[in-house]
Amino acid sequence: TTTPLQALVTLNDPVYTEAGRHLGARLLKDGGEDDKSRIAFGFKLVASRAPEQKEVEVLSKLLGDLRKHYKDNESDAKAVLGLEEKKTSSRGRGRSSRSPSASPPTPPKPTGKGEPQVPADEAAAGAQLGCTLLNLEAAIRRG
């Protein structure tokens, strides 16, 4: 199915979230020096074609909105990156929503010596863009 509900389910699925995190890290590491080249790189990875100009514009606007949101909401950025555990409602009595055996996901970090750390807002925005691109790929695959 290609319903909006399906998109919400896949965007919030832990597998898509983790895959989106890693795709976002790859975009930052291997995608080039600017947003347009990173978007084109990611789009080509998931869709096997270059993006059209309108697609780049829409994804660029989304990336800008994500950056602003995560810059203004550091705890959201840390949650997306798995650096901060979300607390459950009063029903969960403040315990972590993760299972005790689950290890926290690794946030995207540069691998070379001496490279600066990626700011949390930038890494979180990349992770969310990665999730969006993966959902795009799933929609294309479904036809």
Side-chain angles (χ1 to χ4, degrees):
T1 182
T2 57
T3 67
L5 182 57
Q6 173 74 22
L8 286 173
V9 168
T10 57
L11 281 172
N12 291 313
D13 184 284
V15 172
Y16 271 84
T17 303
E18 187 67 16
R21 252 186 232 129
H22 289 281
L23 179 56
R26 187 166 177 202
L27 296 178
L28 291 171
K29 182 181 175 202
D30 301 330
E33 295 298 318
D34 63 7
D35 290 345
K36 288 185 180 185
S37 63
R38 289 176 181 154
I39 288 168
F41 176 74
F43 197 97
K44 189 154 186 155
L45 284 175
V46 301
S48 298
R49 68 169 175 85
E52 296 175 7
Q53 182 62 32
K54 181 66 177 171
E55 293 164 330
V56 172
E57 290 170 9
V58 169
L59 291 170
S60 293
K61 181 178 180 341
L62 172 65
L63 184 57
D65 292 347
L66 290 168
R67 278 193 184 117
K68 181 177 178 350
H69 173 77
Y70 290 124
K71 190 168 190 74
D72 295 342
N73 301 282
E74 186 178 349
S75 63
D76 287 355
K78 287 181 178 179
V80 164
L81 297 172
L83 299 175
E84 184 177 278
E85 294 187 14
K86 290 184 178 182
K87 302 295 181 190
T88 58
S89 65
S90 61
R91 185 175 182 182
R93 291 186 171 78
R95 292 183 302 165
S96 166
S97 60
R98 291 194 187 142
S99 67
S101 63
S103 61
T106 307
K109 294 180 184 172
T111 56
K113 284 188 171 186
E115 289 184 64
Q117 293 291 320
V118 176
D121 58 315
E122 183 70 19
Q128 287 299 110
L129 181 64
C131 286
T132 300
L133 288 169
L134 289 173
N135 197 50
L136 169 70
E137 183 273 335
I140 291 169
R141 193 169 12 96
R142 287 189 303 266

